[in-house]
Amino acid sequence: MTSARVRAELITVTVNGVPHEAAVPGRLLLADFLRDRLGLTGTHDGCAHGTCGACTVLVDGDAVRSCLMFAAQVDGSHITTIEGVSPDGELTPVQQAFQDNHGMQCGFCTPGIVCSLTGLLARDPAPSEEAIMDTLNGHLCRCTGYQNIVKAARQAAGRPVEGSAPESIGQGSDR
Amino acid sequence: MTATPPVAARPKYVGGAVKRREDPRLLLGRGRYVADIHLAGTVHMAIVRSPHAHARITSVDTSRASAAPGVLAVLTWDDIRDQAGPIPCIDVYPDSIPVLQTALADGVVRYVGQPVAVLVATTEYGAEDALSLVDVQYEQLPAVLDLDGATAGDVLLHPEHGTNVVTTIAQDVGDVDAAFATADHVYEETFTIHRYLPVPMETRGVVAEVDPITERLTLTTSTQFPHLVRGFLAGVLGMPESRIRVVAPDVGGGFGAKCEFYCEEILAPLLALRLRRPVKWVEDRREHMIASSHAREQKHTVRVAVTGDGTVTAVDARSWTNNGAAYCTLATTPASISSAMLRGPYRIPHYRARAHSVVTNKTPLAVYRGAGHPQAVLVMERMMDIIAADLGRDRVELRLQNMLTPEELPSDRGTAIVLAGQVVYDTGDYGYCLRRAAEMIGLSPSWAAEQEAARAEGRYLGIGVASLVEETAIGPYESAVVRVDSAGKVTVLTGSSPHGQGHVTTFSQLVADELEIDLDDITVLHGDTDVVVDGVGTFASRSAAIGGAAARRAAGVVKDKALQVAAHLLEIDVADLEWRDGAAVVRGMPDRSLSLGELAVAATAWNAPLPGGMAWNLEATYQHQAAGIAFSNATHAAKVAVDVETGQVEVLDYVVVHDCGTVINPTIVDGQVHGGVAQGLGGTFFEEAGYDADGQPQALNLQDYLMPTAGDMPWIRTDHMQSPTPLNPYGMKGAGEGGATGAPGALVNALQDALASFGVTLASDGPWTPERVLALIPAEVDQR
């Protein structure tokens, strides 16, 4: 981006239902494209190396870390960011579950988690406890200690919210 | 007597699990954190940081970087030394040796990550690119990283001072030597507390801009205390405070890391003033791990005197805090709190502490949720278990025997905490919390047999408890303004600026109850020094108790004034009025009333003068001053299972019985407890900011620095008791830090309990990684 010598790729991408054409330098991260070019700042950059999950968006329905993709890779894709999860500005059941269960504090990690759960529930409206924990284990939150996020996810999935997860779920995940 | 049916009391918000008012905006992706701010004409700042732990800068050549496309400025210390004073430290002791950091290194770098030069370019990517073009030459110096080495003084960070021990704090209570002379048992242990980090999910960031009309500087920064930043910046730049506006927008967590004034908060304003363009910097995660404040690292050596019946009579303690390379804004607070609070809930009439702050070639260390409390709790609670085991006493009974009872409170502990004042425990029933937590976790007389039976099956179970008393709600004060507009809507301004705590909700609850109005009629504003002119900030579990009390008292003053205005308008005595449902009502004539909005209109300038020269408008400013420290208390209890083949520790159950005085919102208090426990659990089992022998940091991203995920957490069960403090009219104490304070002690004691049959004595807070746990287990067990 520092000079005109950097080659740009022309992409066509639909973001939250709106088609965009853009010339993007090869190294422009999808997260930066969404935030800086399109002004969709609800996608947050918490680590820029794919660990924290705050930048998660849905690309053709799949939850992806937008800090690990280049904008040039999403040519032809349909992307949903947190701003597009609820186009009419009313809380979706997933979002409402976070407020109902105090599943958020500072709110920085929340959009990524909401996107992941929205993607999960679109694929599987009644996910198992294992599927929920698999999804949540892909996100870091430093405020809540996760318990109320688990409750929110269970509510959104139509499961009872209280009580610990069955043993062996999640423990020692990839560590 | 004829019974009149009672008027249905208006439901109170305080004490209710009110859903957070701030959530919908954040859930819809409409939050506005520093990185989300894009001002027209913004240029981007990047920092050249030291790659060495200790080195002399022999030359800096900025010519190549300056010539790079899009680069607008490259500055070194020589360029700004006349314009920027050092970063202030506000918690120094009178005899502290001043080891202050400058915004850019002044000739010598003392930790990896220290800012050496700064540049600005037209794009963020371009600024990053240009960093490698700044040519800095170093002459490496020997580095000292550990407390023992630094205390020995072979390598000095500041040779002119002749020592690396920069502050020594003394706490002296009773006659320690006499108590040891008459003790039946003396126990001595040394505990190490490792370095770990707050790691908010949002890193730090700043945007600085100069208003072309007023020439005032606006610094938008991810901070816990915008008002203090305004004062620090004015002092460092030599500018009048009136020319500085500081804004804390949405802040994505802080935990102490943003309770600091940083180099970048000086550099961006300097560059904005120089370039007359908005200057933006957002810390990347790698920078955060080395350039934002570190935490916790201490060593404690304690001697404990005990009489034959198990009475702990004296503690003689020495501690060393690894402060890293320089003082932070809050530098001695961890050592001060650890030394002042080591005895926790126990009587221990004789106490001596010497707490040393030591500089080393690591990132500067400051406060992190709990500050010095978690270390103190770990040390004291490990000692109580060690003593109980040696004397063959039940660990709960031994604790109860030594615990202050409610009848003994208030209790002047004879110690003091820097900035906060004398330690005088106010209220609480520490024994209740301990007994209840022990009962909830299953620490019954049959536990030992249960544990033995499990062990016979190869399952190593342990239960640990940790009781704590913590300093909360420190002063000196917090500000509030409550204002009623002509529509009867209420605006609350608070100087306490939140970063996830839910101030908008809890402060609304307090004000709504005081004025008997609906939550939706209240707007809470914070985080902008032009909107809220005076304030202190959010730290030390102070917001609800100090800021909340200020808001409610300001509302009370408004209510009193509204009653005066009503009396004037109705031409009756104010004593004939009462306040009900947001209106002044004539006693006995419920139909005759004036609403808050009507009274606000009457008090505005286009109406008749108010009586007795009363100030116009329904508005009040209140500064709630802390008359003392409010002390919350809790007992944590954990049950763990250790896999002796892998060293993996699973937390099976976790209980917190917590007392933070009057609870405004139990859901929010639980959330605070959960989050704190997760951070304590992370520090105990996963998180470590390690260094290699050369002083290179080993945790540079969130893959090296493991934090708990959802699957790592036990289901936390909480129980609350409420012992209101007399220090504010509403009884609130602080709830923000207890979770992090109690977790390491409870978890390490549980691990100790699980491994006790191997004859180990744990004398460290961890992190108890599988490798380290495995090292405690005899090989023959491992290979069963």
Side-chain angles (χ1 to χ4, degrees), chain B residues 167 281 406 433 583:
Chain B
T167 294
W281 170 79
C433 289

Side-chain angles (χ1 to χ4, degrees), chain B residues 260-575:
Chain B
E260 281 291 314
F261 180 57
Y262 284 101
C263 304
E264 296 84 359
E265 289 168 318
I266 300 170
L267 296 171
L270 275 177
L271 285 156
L273 286 164
R274 192 176 279 239
L275 299 169
R276 297 285 161 159
R277 291 180 72 168
V279 174
K280 180 174 178 178
W281 170 79
V282 177
E283 184 181 56
D284 67 32
R285 186 54 72 181
R286 182 184 186 281
E287 287 182 294
H288 182 83
M289 304 308 282
I290 56 177
S292 284
S293 58
H294 282 193
R296 298 287 193 249
E297 186 176 0
Q298 289 182 340
K299 185 173 104 168
H300 288 256
T301 295
V302 289
R303 286 197 311 136
V304 183
V306 183
T307 59
D309 70 346
T311 304
V312 181
T313 53
V315 170
D316 188 3
R318 280 190 81 184
S319 71
W320 296 263
T321 300
N322 189 330
N323 274 69
Y327 284 143
C328 286
T329 315
L330 290 163
T332 70
T333 292
S336 181
I337 290 178
S338 295
S339 61
M341 297 299 297
L342 190 85
R343 291 171 295 164
Y346 307 110
R347 241 170 250 115
I348 313 179
H350 307 284
Y351 178 60
R352 175 165 60 213
R354 295 292 177 271
H356 310 287
S357 292
V358 183
V359 287
T360 67
N361 294 111
K362 293 184 179 179
T363 294
L365 171 144
V367 295
Y368 167 30
R369 202 172 200 165
H373 286 103
Q375 302 93 319
V377 171
L378 179 106
V379 169
M380 194 67 231
E381 291 299 294
R382 283 295 302 121
M383 288 310 299
M384 293 308 280
D385 273 10
I386 288 168
I387 295 163
D390 184 68
L391 297 180
R393 292 282 307 274
D394 178 87
R395 49 193 155 145
V396 173
E397 287 306 315
L398 183 79
R399 282 175 168 82
L400 289 171
Q401 177 187 338
N402 285 284
M403 252 178 198
L404 290 160
T405 61
E407 295 71 35
E408 292 171 89
L409 302 182
S411 172
D412 184 342
R413 303 291 281 155
T415 57
I417 298 172
V418 69
L419 296 177
Q422 293 301 120
V423 175
V424 181
Y425 290 177
D426 50 349
T427 55
D429 186 344
Y430 312 147
Y432 169 84
C433 289
L434 171 58
R435 284 191 300 269
R436 178 83 182 113
E439 174 196 328
M440 285 174 71
I441 201 77
L443 195 51
S444 62
S446 64
W447 164 244
E450 219 177 291
Q451 190 182 28
E452 189 59 45
R455 206 178 286 143
E457 295 169 9
R459 299 185 70 219
Y460 288 76
L461 305 180
I463 287 179
V465 298
S467 296
L468 64 100
V469 177
E470 52 160 350
E471 165 223 33
T472 74
I474 69 166
Y477 74 94
E478 194 51 88
S479 71
V481 175
V482 169
R483 186 182 291 154
V484 187
D485 67 23
S486 54
K489 305 295 183 188
V490 174
T491 302
V492 180
L493 312 182
T494 173
S496 177
S497 185
H499 38 285
Q501 293 86 353
H503 289 25
V504 169
T505 302
T506 49
F507 286 38
S508 295
Q509 289 178 262
L510 289 163
V511 169
D513 274 2
E514 186 66 28
L515 295 177
E516 301 186 32
I517 59 176
D518 291 336
L519 287 182
D520 291 342
D521 289 332
I522 298 171
T523 300
V524 179
L525 300 177
H526 53 75
D528 181 339
T529 62
D530 273 11
V531 173
V532 186
V533 175
D534 184 35
V536 180
T538 295
F539 50 89
S541 304
R542 66 190 300 280
S543 293
I546 307 296
R552 186 159 187 171
R553 295 192 81 162
V557 174
V558 163
K559 184 171 73 180
D560 290 344
K561 181 169 176 180
L563 285 165
Q564 296 276 350
V565 174
H568 175 65
L569 294 175
L570 298 169
E571 299 180 330
I572 60 172
D573 195 289
V574 72

